[in-house]
Amino acid sequence: MPSREAVLEALSRVIDPELRRPVTELDMVRSVEIEDGRVDVTIALTVAGCPLRSSFEDQVRREVATLEGVHEVTLGFDVMSAEERQALTEKLRGSVSGRAQGLSLDASTRVLAVCSGKGGVGKSTVTANLAVALSQQGQRVGILDADIYGHSIPHLLGIHQRPVAVDKMIVPPVKDGLKLM
């Protein structure tokens, strides 16, 4: 029979598809029960109607079923309380607390603006290529597409997911290490 620690280790490889972090790190594992080769796991979702819950099901079954002595894996879902969502928001924000006046950036952050007064000159293409190149060099990269006539960066990068709101905080979709808003 697997130990609770072994199951939690397996669950550390289950990544929240929206927040892109392990469910164990996000305190989403509500309970783990092990009995006679059967492992019952309960995951607390940020919202009741989470559209990506099937991703959790697939990942939990894949990771936990590989443990020696596991014959059956069941997964249940619960919803985070307001206090749990607030704690998650604080964890995701890191050292940034509350809302500051104006824009507050870490000292290591660099902002590059790609702009032009004319349309159709390749601003989005340059932005996407620059972001991918910086990301491939190991930099943490985010893109804010502020095109008032229609954003094209999601199309160029093949991102179809929308940002997720977690307790008044917007979490951007991530693809290949790029965060996009």
Side-chain angles (χ1 to χ4, degrees):
M1 185 173 345
S3 67
R4 178 177 170 76
E5 291 75 27
V7 173
L8 289 173
E9 172 65 28
L11 290 173
S12 73
R13 295 186 295 274
V14 174
I15 307 299
D16 182 298
E18 294 176 318
L19 302 177
R20 304 284 188 190
R21 294 222 186 130
V23 294
T24 52
E25 181 183 315
L26 298 172
D27 298 325
M28 296 175 79
V29 179
R30 179 69 41 100
S31 68
V32 173
E33 296 178 21
I34 306 165
E35 187 176 323
D36 297 329
R38 177 184 163 133
V39 178
D40 297 318
V41 177
T42 303
I43 300 285
L45 301 173
T46 55
V47 292
C50 179
L52 300 172
R53 68 191 288 163
S54 65
S55 173
F56 286 108
E57 292 170 348
D58 296 342
Q59 290 185 70
V60 168
R61 286 200 172 86
R62 182 179 64 239
E63 296 299 336
V64 177
T66 62
L67 296 174
E68 189 176 332
V70 173
H71 304 295
E72 184 181 354
V73 179
T74 60
L75 177 61
F77 292 101
D78 200 356
V79 180
M80 288 185 175
S81 66
E83 293 82 19
E84 289 171 319
R85 280 193 308 275
Q86 177 64 35
L88 176 61
T89 300
E90 290 172 10
K91 184 176 283 198
L92 291 172
R93 281 192 173 135
S95 62
V96 179
S97 61
R99 241 188 129 116
Q101 282 290 73
L103 185 61
S104 176
L105 299 173
D106 185 80
S108 66
T109 300
R110 299 292 175 258
V111 176
L112 303 176
V114 178
C115 56
S116 170
K118 179 168 178 7
V121 295
K123 297 177 293 290
S124 295
T125 302
V126 168
T127 300
N129 285 325
L130 183 60
V132 168
L134 289 169
S135 179
Q136 288 175 343
Q137 290 180 0
Q139 301 296 319
R140 290 177 45 210
V141 181
I143 300 175
L144 173 62
D145 189 347
D147 190 334
I148 59 172
Y149 294 109
H151 48 274
S152 56
I153 294 289
H155 178 70
L156 287 171
L157 296 175
I159 296 176
H160 305 289
Q161 180 184 351
R162 295 184 175 275
V164 176
V166 176
D167 201 32
K168 297 182 182 178
M169 182 181 80
I170 298 173
V171 179
V174 179
K175 180 172 184 192
D176 300 327
L178 296 174
K179 295 180 180 178
L180 174 65
M181 288 299 290

